[in-house]
Amino acid sequence: MKLFEKVFLFCVLQFFFSSFLVPAGLEAAKRERFDIIYILSKDLGRVLDYKEELETIFGPKVRKKLKIVGKGDKYAIIYDANDSARSVTKTLVEHGELLRKAGFDEAWATKDQGFHSLYNVSYGLGPNLNILIKKYKKLYSYLGKEVRKDLFIERTNYGNYTLIYRRRGDKYSTTKIAKHHGKLLRKKRIRVSVTVENNNTVVYGESSLINDKGDPNVIVGKKTVNTRKRITSHNKKRVKTASRKKKEPSVKAGKSPVFLASDNAFEKTIESYINNLRRKGKIAGDEATGWMVYDLASDKPIIDINADHAFQAASMIKPFVALAFFHQAKNGKFIYGPRSRRKMEAMIQRSNNAATNWIMRQVGGPAACERILKKYYGHIFKRTEITEYIPANGRTYKNKALPSDYVRFLRALWNKELPYGKEIRRLMALPGRDRLYHGTPIPQGTLVYNKTGSTAHLCGDMGILVPKTRNGGRYPYAIVGIIERRSRPANYGRWMDSRGKVIRQISTLVYKEMKKEHMLL
């Protein structure tokens, strides 16, 4: 049933009840309250991913009312309207139009009943972020590894900060865990309580524990590997393959290389894996994919599959926009102050489109962003195109980039070759869901610098993973995964979830290969 048909039927039923029920029934109908529901699933990960996508098309007022709730063994995303049938119908039409333009699935109205809140464990609340960060680091060492990955500091709606274990569980089981933690932390004089999941913005988490002093000289075992070194001689050989055109040799020292085809056994394993997914229908015939993995420690490509094919950039273009802004800030065009910092965080961490357009306008517009990148960083951005602001519906299709452009950017970022590079790394490491680490068996404690991208035609992620080694060091590598289809999927939520899982599967395979080669945990 189409959205307008659902809305029409909903209105007819409400008119019938309000017009023909006896007075007692009429009063009951007036008292009924309704919410809007966007997805209902047993898979919490799928719901969390979908919420991240929804927040890119709605404004702050709507985002504050988006809640993840439980119902039996399922989870749902609702707009907590708690309003009359008439008001909710109007809101449903407005939201439905945004969802339709963005390629999302239809929403529907539901009575405000049957759902229950989700709960977290809280370890403190207050206005001083630094105090909570100190407490966070203590708890990170006190509590078990299952807690660490979901230990966060959030910003509340009232200007405070709260330190929580984001469990998103039912009240009974969460209370049980809170009592257990209370006993463990009693001697540390840390109070423990239960709090409702409120969709607060995360400001600090596991990925915030970045030792920037060890970057880019990452300790691997007992020796230091300098990631600034150039491509080794055996990588400079031109590799011929039947499926690729010849590639240029790397550029002169001091500039990012034009990557050579890796043509190794592991790349063939990944190609075989992707072909098998196509045979099973998990990647459709009208879907193109691009994959690139780059070893930042040894400075060489590991996987190069369609790395020079232009794909929609979607929100993965946003770190490039940030670079254009920071280039101008470095040259004194404007000051990177509190307001622009908030806009940057909204653009990168929460993928806020209005914030992105604000940053673009400061630079001079999309064309100015592209001009700066091509003029001053042309050795990185070979075929990046920034031609449009993010449209009102949040679905940008015209901006494009190569997988190899992302890797060149990540390589320069890791090697501290970009203006405000430390700040860009901080922004890209802010806690949030990704498709490279979350939902994979990659060990907790892995540092993640990333940016996802999604449209009704594209699912992607690009970033740097820095896992721990068995000898107490870390080993960095960049990874890009993109799946793009020609037509819109019939069910956006299901398509986005399944393709996100494909990227996670590839990321897992890459980690296992790197683990064998570099003694990762």
Side-chain angles (χ1 to χ4, degrees):
M1 187 180 291
K2 299 294 185 182
L3 173 64
F4 74 88
E5 293 173 335
K6 289 182 178 179
V7 173
F8 177 74
L9 179 59
F10 186 71
C11 293
V12 169
L13 290 173
Q14 292 308 313
F15 174 78
F16 173 79
F17 285 123
S18 62
S19 300
F20 298 105
L21 287 177
V22 293
L26 177 59
E27 288 302 314
K30 287 182 178 179
R31 289 196 301 270
E32 285 184 334
R33 289 293 179 262
F34 295 85
D35 297 324
I36 296 173
I37 184 169
Y38 304 93
I39 187 173
L40 184 66
S41 173
K42 291 183 179 180
D43 186 347
L44 178 59
R46 177 181 177 185
V47 173
L48 292 172
D49 284 344
Y50 200 74
K51 175 177 163 290
E52 293 265 324
E53 298 303 315
L54 277 177
E55 290 180 338
T56 66
I57 66 170
F58 289 130
K61 290 183 179 180
V62 174
R63 289 199 300 271
K64 286 181 180 179
K65 287 192 172 185
L66 291 180
K67 288 187 177 181
I68 298 177
V69 294
K71 186 174 184 179
D73 62 346
K74 295 183 179 180
Y75 300 91
I77 302 173
I78 66 169
Y79 175 71
D80 192 15
N82 190 29
D83 216 336
S84 66
R86 178 177 295 180
S87 296
V88 164
T89 299
K90 180 181 177 182
T91 304
L92 182 61
V93 172
E94 294 172 352
H95 288 194
E97 184 64 14
L98 285 173
L99 294 169
R100 184 189 64 79
K101 288 182 178 179
F104 281 85
D105 304 327
E106 296 174 4
W108 64 94
T110 180
K111 285 186 179 180
D112 187 17
Q113 61 185 25
F115 294 105
H116 62 81
S117 296
L118 302 181
Y119 294 86
N120 301 317
V121 180
S122 173
Y123 308 95
L125 173 73
N128 193 317
L129 177 60
N130 289 329
I131 289 176
L132 286 179
I133 288 176
K134 289 180 181 178
K135 186 183 288 188
Y136 174 100
K137 292 178 179 179
K138 290 180 181 178
L139 289 176
Y140 191 83
S141 61
Y142 295 158
L143 301 177
K145 63 180 182 179
E146 289 303 317
V147 176
R148 292 174 187 169
K149 66 183 178 66
D150 291 317
L151 191 65
F152 297 108
I153 299 176
E154 298 179 336
R155 183 187 296 115
T156 72
N157 292 330
Y158 303 101
N160 284 319
Y161 298 94
T162 178
L163 173 55
I164 65 160
Y165 166 31
R166 187 182 264 178
R167 187 170 182 275
R168 292 186 171 117
D170 62 87
K171 191 172 185 179
Y172 174 78
S173 62
T174 304
T175 300
K176 190 175 180 180
I177 290 174
K179 288 180 179 179
H180 176 62
H181 286 185
K183 291 178 181 179
L184 291 175
L185 300 171
R186 189 172 297 157
K187 292 182 179 179
K188 306 294 181 182
R189 295 183 180 180
I190 296 176
R191 293 184 178 181
V192 181
S193 61
V194 173
T195 184
V196 175
E197 163 65 30
N198 280 319
N199 194 31
N200 293 325
T201 299
V202 174
V203 297
Y204 198 90
E206 188 176 59
S207 60
S208 304
L209 296 172
I210 299 170
N211 178 11
D212 211 67
K213 294 179 180 178
D215 168 10
N217 294 322
V218 183
I219 302 300
V220 183
K222 296 183 178 179
K223 62 181 181 179
T224 299
V225 176
N226 190 332
T227 62
R228 293 181 186 274
K229 69 180 183 179
R230 296 297 140 193
I231 292 180
T232 54
S233 59
H234 72 273
N235 282 318
K236 292 181 180 179
K237 296 178 182 179
R238 190 180 295 270
V239 181
K240 296 182 180 180
T241 65
S243 59
R244 295 187 182 88
K245 295 179 180 179
K246 293 182 178 180
K247 300 190 177 184
E248 299 172 9
S250 61
V251 296
K252 295 179 180 179
K255 294 186 178 181
S256 296
V258 177
F259 303 120
L260 303 178
S262 50
D263 193 34
N264 57 51
F266 180 59
E267 180 178 295
K268 292 177 180 178
T269 298
I270 295 298
E271 286 181 326
S272 177
Y273 185 80
I274 293 168
N275 290 333
N276 189 44
L277 292 177
R278 288 189 182 279
R279 285 192 294 271
K280 292 179 178 179
K282 294 185 177 181
I283 299 177
D286 71 336
E287 294 177 354
T289 71
W291 311 91
M292 190 161 187
V293 178
Y294 195 84
D295 187 326
L296 292 167
S298 60
D299 208 11
K300 65 180 181 180
I302 304 299
I303 295 175
D304 173 356
I305 300 173
N306 292 327
D308 290 329
H309 176 83
F311 292 89
Q312 289 178 13
S315 291
M316 292 184 290
I317 204 73
K318 292 172 182 177
F320 297 176
V321 172
L323 174 57
F325 177 96
F326 285 129
H327 175 88
Q328 295 292 70
K330 181 183 179 182
N331 288 288
K333 300 295 182 182
F334 33 70
I335 296 173
Y336 182 54
R339 187 183 184 190
S340 51
R341 179 186 170 102
R342 288 195 301 272
K343 295 290 186 181
M344 279 288 182
E345 290 177 348
M347 176 175 75
I348 301 298
Q349 183 185 22
R350 301 189 295 281
S351 209
N352 184 279
N353 297 317
T356 305
N357 290 339
W358 185 89
I359 296 291
M360 281 189 183
R361 284 194 293 272
Q362 307 315 301
V363 178
C369 290
E370 181 180 330
R371 185 167 57 251
I372 289 169
L373 297 182
K374 293 291 178 65
K375 181 175 180 180
Y376 298 100
Y377 308 95
H379 56 290
I380 296 175
F381 304 102
K382 300 299 182 181
R383 287 179 58 194
T384 292
E385 299 174 15
I386 306 178
T387 61
E388 66 173 351
Y389 287 103
I390 310 297
N393 58 28
R395 295 302 142 202
T396 172
Y397 301 123
K398 295 180 181 178
N399 298 328
K400 296 181 181 297
L402 309 175
S404 57
D405 284 356
Y406 295 120
V407 169
R408 276 184 285 267
F409 167 80
L410 294 169
R411 178 181 180 274
L413 179 66
W414 184 255
N415 287 342
K416 298 185 177 181
E417 296 170 356
L418 303 178
Y420 284 80
K422 183 176 180 179
E423 176 65 359
I424 297 174
R425 290 194 299 277
R426 184 190 74 84
L427 291 165
M428 293 181 68
L430 287 171
R433 289 187 66 78
D434 61 79
R435 297 172 179 131
L436 304 176
Y437 169 66
H438 281 92
T440 75
I442 296 174
Q444 295 164 22
T446 296
L447 301 182
V448 182
Y449 310 73
N450 87 295
K451 186 70 194 78
T452 59
S454 307
T455 71
H457 297 265
L458 180 133
C459 180
D461 204 343
M462 64 97 166
I464 297 171
L465 298 186
V466 196
K468 295 178 179 179
T469 67
R470 292 199 292 271
N471 290 334
R474 288 188 179 274
Y475 202 94
Y477 61 93
I479 177 170
V480 178
I482 300 171
I483 302 174
E484 180 181 294
R485 58 180 292 143
R486 288 196 293 269
S487 59
R488 288 189 176 193
N491 185 312
Y492 174 77
R494 187 176 297 124
W495 180 81
M496 184 268 292
D497 176 61
S498 65
R499 274 38 178 193
K501 286 179 178 175
V502 169
I503 295 174
R504 289 180 170 105
Q505 289 163 1
I506 299 296
S507 182
T508 299
L509 291 174
V510 170
Y511 175 81
K512 289 179 178 178
E513 179 69 15
M514 299 294 284
K515 179 179 180 178
K516 290 189 297 184
E517 295 291 328
H518 305 294
M519 298 177 61
L520 307 184
L521 289 179

